[in-house]
Amino acid sequence: MPPTSDAPALSPRTTGRRRFLTAGITGAAVLGLGGLLTACGSSDGSGGGSGSAPVGGGSSPNQKSVKQGGDDYAAVVEKMKGFGTDAAPGVYPRTLKHAMGETVIPARPTRVVVLDTGELDNVVALGIQPVGVVYTDGSKSLPSYLKDKAGSPAAVGTINSLNLEAIAALKPDLILGSQLRAQDQYAQLSKIAPTVFSLRPGYPWKQNFLLNASAFGLEAEAKAQLDAYQAAATAIGAKLGDKRPTITPLRFMPGRTRLYAELSFIGTILTDIPLPQPAIEQVQELAVEVSPEQIDKADADWIFYGVYGTPSSTNQDAVLGGALWKTLGAVKSGQARPVSDETWFLGLGVMAANAVLADLKGFVAPAG
């Protein structure tokens, strides 16, 4: 089985809904598998799915409830401990246990189709160029941080709308995705090629990397990359010592503004350093939604904000140009900075995580 020691530890910070309820937000929303994103659009990828079941994802306003898939956030890592294979590196055929059962992979895959940004990051990190890729609804091109390594994969739809004919035409020998994104298409995909699904993207990104790597017999390589990532995260924390600034990951999206919380991709990175978040974000959820009138709840020593899609489709300009934004301590101190959405919120893999660490080191722990 793949190693489980890389499971992101749950934060020692005060957590839970009780803390959220005392934060004084009227009309804000906590987002997680507890359920309230029935009409949540935007395939943001940052902690959960879409396809047939968006969690922090899915661009269609009539997407199914985030409860699709039935996994509580905190239980995901535990459930994934049984995933992977007992086969020795290089030994095929191999049987992989995963979210949808078991899949036999007859030989080491060479033609891989990836169904999300995390799987794309994962295979490229392992030196594999996929033959097919899906895009988010916010961008129809390869992420810039992967372009020089990912090759020229064919587009096979979007996260929310897979093109099964295009996938089949590529004659893949492996398809990688997640249950929460595309469980409704699993049976059809499995008829095209061996298909391996994680439970969900985002929060369990380390376990997803190990699962994806096990299809290629590259678990040791994935583990080494995760160890190197953790060492880099720990080094940032060591450099800061006791002076740990609070961090708010803020994201502008069509129709909503989010403060990302502990059980998100960026939340795990902050925990690994560790860097604290304001109390409102110290919840075992993907994110907390705030209105423009509540943007003061985002205040922290540092605010790092991204935008999904085009700024004009969100309220970013209105918020950043508003009077309330200018009262925030981070804004006054020049510590509210834009960051790359494709790494901070969409990357969902070790290469994106390393890019986020580099950003954080440059801002909060610069040399000198």
Side-chain angles (χ1 to χ4, degrees):
M1 296 298 169
T4 57
S5 60
D6 288 297
L10 295 180
S11 169
R13 297 170 286 185
T14 302
T15 58
R17 295 182 185 274
R18 179 174 174 271
R19 188 68 176 264
F20 166 73
L21 292 171
T22 62
I25 292 191
T26 302
V30 177
L31 308 180
L33 279 175
L36 108 133
L37 288 183
T38 303
C40 166
S42 105
S43 53
D44 69 10
S46 37
S50 68
S52 61
V55 175
S59 64
S60 172
N62 61 356
Q63 293 282 2
K64 296 178 183 178
S65 166
V66 297
K67 295 187 73 174
Q68 183 82 22
D71 296 300
D72 293 331
Y73 269 158
V76 170
V77 170
E78 186 66 28
K79 289 185 177 183
M80 291 189 70
K81 287 183 178 179
F83 289 4
T85 183
D86 290 323
V91 174
Y92 290 89
R94 59 179 46 209
T95 299
L96 265 66
K97 293 182 179 180
H98 58 97
M100 302 300 291
E102 294 187 353
T103 294
V104 175
I105 300 178
R108 180 167 176 168
T110 59
R111 297 183 60 80
V112 185
V113 169
V114 292
L115 304 182
D116 204 344
T117 56
E119 284 79 42
L120 174 61
D121 187 302
N122 290 344
V123 299
V124 173
L126 294 170
I128 298 159
Q129 294 183 340
V131 297
V133 62
V134 301
Y135 293 120
T136 69
D137 294 302
S139 174
K140 300 301 189 292
S141 62
L142 285 172
S144 60
Y145 79 101
L146 296 177
K147 278 185 177 178
D148 63 338
K149 299 179 180 66
S152 302
V156 291
T158 68
I159 286 173
N160 297 317
S161 182
L162 302 181
N163 186 331
L164 297 179
E165 291 184 358
I167 293 173
L170 292 173
K171 301 185 183 303
D173 49 22
L174 179 67
I175 300 171
L176 296 175
S178 70
Q179 180 185 42
L180 199 56
R181 290 291 198 205
Q183 68 172 349
D184 289 353
Q185 289 80 42
Y186 179 78
Q188 294 167 287
L189 291 166
S190 294
K191 292 177 181 178
I192 297 172
T195 300
V196 174
F197 274 8
S198 66
L199 284 169
R200 58 180 304 109
Y203 165 57
W205 63 274
K206 300 175 187 179
Q207 290 72 28
N208 293 349
F209 188 25
L210 292 168
L211 175 63
N212 291 171
S214 68
F216 305 95
L218 296 175
E219 299 97 319
E221 287 81 353
K223 176 68 163 55
Q225 290 193 44
L226 290 173
D227 288 346
Y229 152 81
Q230 183 59 62
T234 301
I236 293 174
K239 184 170 184 179
L240 289 168
D242 295 332
K243 298 178 180 179
R244 307 284 173 110
T246 54
I247 307 293
T248 283
L250 168 65
R251 196 182 195 202
F252 297 102
M253 304 169 66
R256 61 191 54 82
T257 301
R258 287 181 177 173
L259 314 179
Y260 277 77
E262 292 179 342
L263 299 191
S264 64
F265 171 66
I266 183 61
T268 66
I269 296 172
L270 295 177
T271 297
D272 286 340
I273 292 175
L275 283 168
Q277 294 182 251
I280 187 176
E281 297 155 35
Q282 294 180 24
V283 289
Q284 297 284 288
E285 303 288 353
L286 167 67
V288 176
E289 286 189 0
V290 295
S291 69
E293 294 75 26
Q294 297 164 331
I295 201 63
D296 58 316
K297 302 300 180 183
D299 205 7
D301 294 317
W302 286 88
I303 300 173
F304 297 107
Y305 59 91
V307 59
Y308 177 74
T310 60
S312 61
S313 67
T314 74
N315 62 17
Q316 175 183 271
D317 291 344
V319 170
L320 299 188
L324 186 56
W325 176 257
K326 296 171 184 175
T327 69
L328 304 189
V331 176
K332 290 181 177 179
S333 64
Q335 294 184 170
R337 302 295 183 87
V339 292
S340 169
D341 195 76
E342 65 182 20
T343 52
W344 278 64
F345 300 102
L346 275 175
L348 310 185
V350 70
M351 294 181 71
N354 285 328
V356 171
L357 288 182
D359 288 344
L360 285 168
K361 181 180 179 181
F363 283 122
V364 306

